[in-house]
Amino acid sequence: MTDSPAPKEIYIIDGHSQVFKAYHGIRQLSTSTGIPTNAVYGFVAILHRLIKSRAPRHMVVVFDTKHPTFRHELYEAYKANRGAPPEDFGQQMEYINRILTSMNMKVITAPGFEADDVIATLTRQATAKGYNVHVVTADKDLFQLVNEQVRVLRLQPDSETVYDREAVMAKMGVYPEQIGDLLSMVGDTSDNIPGIPRIGMKTAATLLEKYGTLEEVLKHAGELKGKQAEYVEAGRESALLSQKLVALRYDVPMDCDADGCEMAEPDLPSLLAIYRELEFRKLVSDLETGSSQEEAAVNFPDRETNYRAITTEDELREFVQKIRDAGFVALDVETDRLQVIVAELVGVSLCVTPNDAVYIPLAHTGPLGVREEVEQLPLSVLQRELAPVLADPTIKKYAHNLKFDWHLLRRHGLGLDKASGDSLLASYLINADRRNHGLKDLAADVLRIQMTKITDLIGKGKTQMTFDKVELEAATQYAAADADVTLQLTQYFDPKLDELNARNLLETIELPLVQVLMDMESTGVCIDRPHFKQLAVETDAHLDRLRQDIYQKCDKEFNIGSPKQVAQVLFEDLGLKPVKSKKTGFSTDIEVLEQLACEHEVPGLLAEYRQFEKLKGTYIDVLPTLICRETGRIHTSYNQAVAATGRLSSSDPNLQNIPIRTEWGRKIRQGFVPSSKDRVLLAADYSQIELRVLAHVTGDPALVEAFNTGIDVHTLTASKVYDIPVEMVSSEMRGVAKMVNFGVIYGMGAQGLSSRLRIPFATARSFIEEYFKGYAGVRSWLDQTLVDARNNGYVETVSGRRRYLADIRSKNFNARNAAERVATNAPIQGTSADMIKIAMIRIDKRMKDEGYAARMIMQVHDELIFDVPKEELEKLRELVLTEMEYALPLSVPVLVEAGWGDNWNEC
């Protein structure tokens, strides 16, 4: 007896359903040149996931057409409430069609019918031929098709849900054969299907459970209780019309059946070209990894490389002489971990000629974990031979993410005299909005070089090993490539720095700042561990009190961490009106809770609970665990190439987001202390620096006069927007004016101001209008800045830092509007970022030149914090104030406020 053959399978993709789901479900994405990509990426990611996880033999994508269908003839108002699709949707559909063509994917449309009807017809034909059918859709209408041979598949990029008959029942409350009747009763606002007014999903499902079909429900309408009878009777004709509208057609004429939907080989070069154009790096990498050697040669040009290990002193001396002859060297380090404070140096790679690089292994342990098994140099030899070159000011040193390399080299007796180039920072200055300035991404995008992933060498997850255990030949090829690509990127970016006027920023601000940040990170920050332990106890008690208070006011206990349960409490139990929706239901985010707080006390308590949970989980519980065992301090990392504005960011941990205006934020700051009892913390903070920069760049007479004469600018603005004398301005009015002042800087319109201040839209619009009447110079500058941005494609800070605006001429309103906000904000925020960076460089130099024992330990946007011996306090305070105030001279005075104390909060 032979086994019967396995049934054939076909995957039918509801095209527009999946594209719209991606368009609305993924944040606004675009390429560096302004091409919108959120819908394309989401749709294509689903296709790739399906192909990878299911390996389908037959697959087809079905799309709607623009033509009216028979449903429009039945009901003139069908889908009449749908507006035109967003401008960028059509542009993205063009790319999707190109991608499907390059995939050689079968695509079906049928004028006069909807995609649902095509899918229904194709499904019936396929099942008749013995196929099992998987319908990939986000549309509940297609649950009607589910039976023993048909499943509905809902895909996310990293998960999937399969709906068989029982799963449909669990989700919808009825079986697949009742879905049409359910939708006929409930209606569909998106398609303008009327249904039975006031009959919701639960009621409809209950009636169908009792009576089976719509016909039977209508037949027994008189038996229904209360208002249900009235609603059903009144909606009888509407329900019968809706039944015709939601019914699927199974007779769509097509020139293709399931057998004709067999998968074909994709046109890989064409597909990769589109993905590169759209900057889909992950998809490009996935395709290239899975392609043959022949195909890979099409993707990336072949390179002849000479990568070798240096394991003798003679070889090292010979290469050191090459460095001296060239006058420069690109370098990279390999370590046993990423924590720069404690990492050990495993090896160093060097390059002075493209495609020709060396790797010097220092601490590889071989397959048996024994260092002596691997032929390599001792660190002492490298220190003797290479250190003089690295310390030689006449020899240029290049790296990628120089701060990390410099840290490691310095800790191992191989310190640089100064930095000459950093290809990561060069890339950042040339295009700050690029999503990733990583070495391997830049190699692929800029140089067309495909580099080996580190995970290919060390693995992932529990089986991951450290680099010192990598076999030497593989380590050599990997590490030498890093130095080689660093040199090639440096040579590629070098002329562009001049072309884009970015060299001065690199050489006078970003590179000198590297050493300042490196010193700050090495010094670290001290925290009071017992203080945080006590704070954790207090926070737990406070959260418990809040929790019990919420339960009492809601007359029930529920999971406060569950958005679904919170939504039920707020919008069903308490009857509050939902503010906004998302695909999983009504939103209960912090913005919604704060908006609802004026209507009921529970949303306010929930918002407070979440804020406390965040403080506890981000700082109170976590910071003590991050104290380095070797130093007894916390060592954050400062990132120069993350924030597109030019601001520094902080990570592992982020010390820049600790709140200052709340009681508990201040309690957290109390835990940051000096390194010893004979020292204090000094904090110096720019006062209203962005408004002062605004006055400088706009030259607005009223703003300039206010800062020159010492008038409080928020009070002055309040007098203008309320049209009252300065002396009549109340603290509440000043608070509103403060929001208007900063709102203008950040491109906030009347809608945003209305929402933020919880005032009527007309009032907010009036405030902004009065603001611009009072500060006409600001209005004029904003208008001219947008004109220049559209003409040039970028805006600049006072120091010449450029922010390129890919969407400034976009046809998509939202994208263009966002770019316009960036255009008016970037010169202000970027100038203030440059100012504090310049101040940090000058302060650091003077502290070293003048022999201070004090240390700069933190930068929090406009604030610098120092760990200072008490006897140096007054002198250092004067130094810091002077250098901060005169870092970047403005046409108005720059004010810096300084304070000190036994903890950060006291400052």
Side-chain angles (χ1 to χ4, degrees):
M1 179 178 178
T2 58
D3 293 333
S4 58
K8 294 179 290 186
E9 295 191 330
I10 182 170
Y11 289 79
I12 305 175
I13 298 172
D14 183 0
H16 275 110
S17 164
Q18 294 300 117
V19 176
F20 272 108
K21 178 183 174 184
Y23 183 87
H24 294 291
I26 298 177
R27 64 183 175 84
Q28 186 71 39
L29 294 177
S30 62
T31 67
S32 58
T33 58
I35 302 170
T37 59
N38 52 321
V40 188
Y41 183 80
F43 179 73
V44 172
I46 290 295
L47 282 186
H48 277 269
R49 185 182 188 283
L50 187 63
I51 293 168
K52 185 176 181 180
S53 64
R54 297 292 185 109
R57 295 284 300 277
H58 294 78
M59 188 155 75
V60 59
V61 182
V62 181
F63 284 116
D64 289 314
T65 70
K66 297 179 180 180
H67 302 282
T69 70
F70 68 91
R71 292 182 178 87
H72 293 90
E73 298 175 8
L74 277 174
Y75 183 48
E76 189 176 348
Y78 180 65
K79 293 190 177 181
N81 58 344
R82 287 194 181 183
E87 287 183 29
D88 64 330
F89 187 83
Q91 184 181 0
Q92 297 199 60
M93 278 302 303
E94 290 177 11
Y95 277 101
I96 287 171
N97 287 326
R98 284 176 57 193
I99 288 168
L100 291 172
T101 299
S102 294
M103 284 183 163
N104 285 320
M105 186 79 66
K106 185 67 178 178
V107 176
I108 299 178
T109 60
F113 296 90
E114 294 185 30
D116 287 3
D117 303 311
V118 176
I119 292 170
T121 302
L122 191 57
T123 296
R124 180 165 289 184
Q125 291 176 355
T127 54
K129 288 190 168 188
Y131 281 84
N132 284 338
V133 179
H134 306 270
V135 180
V136 182
T137 183
D139 188 351
K140 58 184 178 293
D141 294 26
L142 292 174
F143 281 143
Q144 298 178 67
L145 298 175
V146 171
N147 58 35
E148 289 301 313
Q149 286 178 262
V150 182
R151 302 286 186 270
V152 163
L153 185 60
R154 289 196 173 176
L155 293 178
Q156 301 292 342
D158 56 356
S159 65
E160 63 182 42
T161 306
V162 179
Y163 289 93
D164 58 11
R165 179 177 167 78
E166 292 303 326
V168 171
M169 177 62 177
K171 181 171 181 63
M172 303 297 293
V174 297
Y175 285 107
E177 61 269 19
Q178 296 173 300
I179 288 290
D181 288 347
L182 179 77
L183 299 177
S184 301
M185 297 171 69
V186 174
D188 187 338
T189 54
S190 65
D191 288 344
N192 211 30
I193 295 174
I196 301 176
R198 300 186 179 181
I199 293 294
M201 192 73 74
K202 288 184 179 179
T203 300
T206 301
L207 292 175
L208 288 171
E209 182 183 11
K210 182 175 182 180
Y211 295 108
T213 65
L214 172 62
E215 287 73 13
E216 288 299 311
V217 171
L218 296 176
K219 183 177 177 181
H220 293 88
E223 303 172 9
L224 303 182
K225 296 179 181 179
K227 292 284 187 180
Q228 282 186 4
E230 179 183 329
Y231 297 156
V232 170
E233 192 57 52
R236 177 182 296 273
E237 296 304 318
S238 176
L240 292 173
L241 170 63
S242 299
Q243 189 178 45
K244 294 177 182 177
L245 294 173
V246 302
L248 298 175
R249 291 280 294 271
Y250 296 88
D251 58 348
V252 178
M254 291 185 295
D255 58 1
C256 174
D257 61 8
D259 293 337
C261 297
E262 191 167 4
M263 293 281 286
E265 286 295 316
D267 180 350
L268 196 60
S270 171
L271 192 58
L272 281 165
I274 300 171
Y275 286 175
R276 289 196 189 100
E277 181 184 353
L278 298 177
E279 298 175 6
F280 291 167
R281 296 182 186 88
K282 176 66 167 62
L283 295 178
V284 168
S285 175
D286 288 347
L287 281 183
E288 288 164 344
T289 302
S291 62
S292 68
Q293 290 298 314
E294 182 179 348
E295 291 164 339
V298 176
N299 305 329
F300 289 99
D302 284 330
R303 292 190 308 140
E304 289 189 10
T305 59
N306 181 25
Y307 297 159
R308 61 202 182 281
I310 286 181
T311 57
T312 69
E313 292 186 40
D314 287 343
E315 290 174 324
L316 179 58
R317 290 193 192 99
E318 183 181 343
F319 198 85
V320 166
Q321 187 58 48
K322 272 191 174 183
I323 295 173
R324 292 191 182 280
D325 292 342
F328 63 84
V329 62
L331 55 87
D332 187 73
V333 303
E334 300 301 337
T335 66
D336 62 349
R337 68 195 85 178
L338 293 177
Q339 293 81 5
V340 71
I341 298 300
V342 294
E344 290 300 324
L345 190 61
V346 174
V348 177
S349 51
L350 305 167
C351 181
V352 296
T353 306
N355 301 319
D356 188 334
V358 299
Y359 177 59
I360 307 165
L362 300 169
H364 284 266
T365 59
L368 298 179
V370 181
R371 186 187 185 284
E372 286 71 22
E373 290 184 344
V374 182
E375 187 180 1
Q376 55 196 325
L377 288 172
L379 178 61
S380 59
V381 171
L382 195 66
Q383 290 169 338
R384 185 179 68 239
E385 301 297 334
L386 185 63
V389 170
L390 299 182
D392 187 339
T394 66
I395 295 175
K396 296 179 179 180
K397 276 74 66 175
Y398 305 121
H400 190 89
N401 191 15
L402 173 71
K403 180 158 61 69
F404 182 87
D405 297 331
W406 198 344
H407 256 301
L408 264 296
L409 291 169
R410 184 172 71 173
R411 280 187 48 233
H412 291 82
L414 296 159
L416 311 184
D417 66 307
K418 65 176 183 178
S420 302
D422 184 336
S423 46
L424 180 145
L425 293 178
S427 172
Y428 170 71
L429 289 172
I430 288 167
N431 183 4
D433 283 284
R434 181 186 167 91
R435 286 196 291 270
N436 192 316
H437 302 278
L439 185 71
K440 291 171 177 58
D441 285 318
L442 288 172
D445 295 346
V446 172
L447 304 177
R448 303 293 299 118
I449 293 174
Q450 176 77 336
M451 299 182 72
T452 301
K453 298 177 183 177
I454 185 63
T455 51
D456 291 345
L457 271 71
I458 65 173
K460 298 179 181 179
K462 294 181 180 179
T463 61
Q464 188 177 83
M465 61 181 174
T466 51
F467 196 82
D468 55 306
K469 294 180 176 61
V470 174
E471 187 270 326
L472 186 56
E473 179 57 28
T476 297
Q477 297 303 309
Y478 176 88
D482 285 351
D484 176 21
V485 169
T486 296
L487 178 63
Q488 293 194 46
L489 285 174
T490 299
Q491 294 174 340
Y492 175 85
F493 287 135
D494 196 59
K496 291 188 178 297
L497 290 169
D498 293 320
E499 179 186 335
L500 302 177
N501 197 34
R503 181 174 300 281
N504 184 63
L505 276 171
L506 179 67
E507 294 182 350
T508 64
I509 297 181
E510 297 299 347
L511 285 177
L513 188 65
V514 169
Q515 188 168 3
V516 179
L517 298 178
M518 186 172 64
D519 290 343
M520 289 170 62
E521 293 173 3
S522 296
T523 301
V525 182
C526 290
I527 67 168
D528 183 349
R529 196 192 295 263
H531 173 83
F532 278 93
K533 186 175 181 180
Q534 177 59 33
L535 207 54
V537 173
E538 293 176 19
T539 310
D540 285 338
H542 188 74
L543 283 169
D544 188 58
R545 287 193 296 271
L546 281 173
R547 193 182 303 112
Q548 296 307 318
D549 198 10
I550 291 168
Y551 291 161
Q552 183 180 3
K553 288 177 168 55
C554 296
D555 292 325
K556 65 184 288 187
E557 293 189 5
F558 59 98
N559 182 0
I560 295 176
S562 166
K564 184 176 181 180
Q565 292 187 35
V566 170
Q568 182 180 348
V569 167
L570 294 177
F571 307 126
E572 295 183 25
D573 299 351
L574 300 180
L576 298 175
K577 185 178 179 181
V579 175
K580 62 181 179 180
S581 299
K582 52 184 183 179
K583 59 183 178 182
T584 55
F586 294 122
S587 173
T588 61
D589 62 23
I590 194 71
E591 183 182 339
V592 168
L593 294 177
E594 289 175 349
Q595 195 167 334
L596 293 173
C598 58
E599 300 179 26
H600 197 284
E601 57 187 325
V602 167
L605 291 171
L606 287 168
E608 184 180 356
Y609 186 91
R610 284 191 191 169
Q611 288 164 349
F612 269 92
E613 265 197 328
K614 184 177 180 180
L615 286 178
K616 178 175 165 59
T618 307
Y619 299 111
I620 295 171
D621 289 346
V622 173
L623 287 179
T625 69
L626 299 178
I627 297 174
C628 177
R629 186 186 309 170
E630 288 81 357
T631 67
R633 303 181 184 190
I634 289 175
H635 300 270
T636 188
S637 294
Y638 288 99
N639 311 303
Q640 290 170 265
V642 172
T645 58
R647 277 190 165 192
L648 294 174
S649 69
S650 164
S651 57
D652 303 317
N654 182 354
L655 298 181
Q656 295 185 325
N657 279 356
I658 300 173
I660 189 172
R661 292 181 176 84
T662 67
E663 177 191 357
W664 285 82
R666 290 191 289 271
K667 285 184 177 182
I668 291 172
R669 290 181 175 228
Q670 286 173 8
F672 286 77
V673 295
S675 55
S676 63
K677 291 184 178 180
D678 60 347
R679 299 169 81 97
V680 294
L681 295 185
L682 168 68
D685 192 2
Y686 280 116
S687 173
Q688 299 177 340
I689 190 60
E690 291 184 350
L691 290 174
R692 294 173 191 271
V693 171
L694 181 69
H696 173 81
V697 298
T698 64
D700 182 88
L703 267 183
V704 170
E705 182 183 4
F707 284 119
N708 281 333
T709 58
I711 298 173
D712 178 68
V713 71
H714 299 316
T715 302
L716 178 64
T717 298
S719 74
K720 293 180 181 299
V721 299
Y722 286 102
D723 193 23
I724 58 174
V726 169
E727 55 272 14
M728 292 182 63
V729 172
S730 66
S731 60
E732 183 180 350
M733 292 174 178
R734 184 184 181 277
V736 169
K738 184 176 181 179
M739 182 64 70
V740 175
N741 276 331
F742 287 110
V744 167
I745 291 176
Y746 288 94
M748 187 186 296
Q751 187 63 52
L753 189 64
S754 168
S755 175
R756 190 68 63 90
L757 293 174
R758 297 178 188 170
I759 58 176
F761 175 82
T763 304
R765 184 173 57 190
S766 173
F767 280 164
I768 291 177
E769 289 172 353
E770 292 302 318
Y771 175 93
F772 285 125
K773 285 181 185 177
Y775 299 120
V778 175
R779 174 78 278 168
S780 176
W781 178 82
L782 290 172
D783 292 342
Q784 187 59 47
T785 297
L786 290 178
V787 170
D788 293 342
R790 293 186 192 105
N791 290 336
N792 301 327
Y794 64 84
V795 291
E796 282 188 332
T797 68
V798 170
S799 301
R801 182 183 301 274
R802 290 185 182 180
R803 182 82 181 271
Y804 288 87
L805 306 160
D807 293 328
I808 194 65
R809 292 184 288 268
S810 172
K811 294 180 180 179
N812 177 269
F813 172 80
N814 291 332
R816 186 176 66 252
N817 195 41
E820 289 174 350
R821 288 196 300 272
V822 169
T824 55
N825 167 248
I828 309 300
Q829 198 172 96
T831 296
S832 64
D834 290 340
M835 184 180 294
I836 197 164
K837 285 180 176 180
I838 293 168
M840 291 169 70
I841 294 165
R842 293 179 180 175
I843 291 168
D844 180 77
K845 184 177 187 307
R846 282 193 58 187
M847 287 171 62
K848 289 174 179 173
D849 289 347
E850 298 172 25
Y852 279 88
R855 293 290 180 266
M856 193 187 316
I857 60 171
M858 280 195 288
Q859 192 257 37
V860 182
H861 302 313
D862 299 330
E863 179 183 17
L864 296 177
I865 299 95
F866 301 82
D867 187 336
V868 191
K870 291 178 181 178
E871 63 272 16
E872 291 182 358
L873 176 62
E874 192 53 42
K875 188 179 174 185
L876 182 69
R877 176 179 171 276
E878 291 301 319
L879 183 158
V880 170
L881 291 178
T882 298
E883 296 301 342
M884 289 181 72
E885 287 173 0
Y886 294 99
L888 196 61
L890 303 181
S891 57
V892 297
V894 174
L895 178 63
V896 179
E897 297 171 340
W900 59 92
D902 291 330
N903 60 63
W904 188 10
N905 185 60
E906 285 186 11
C907 297

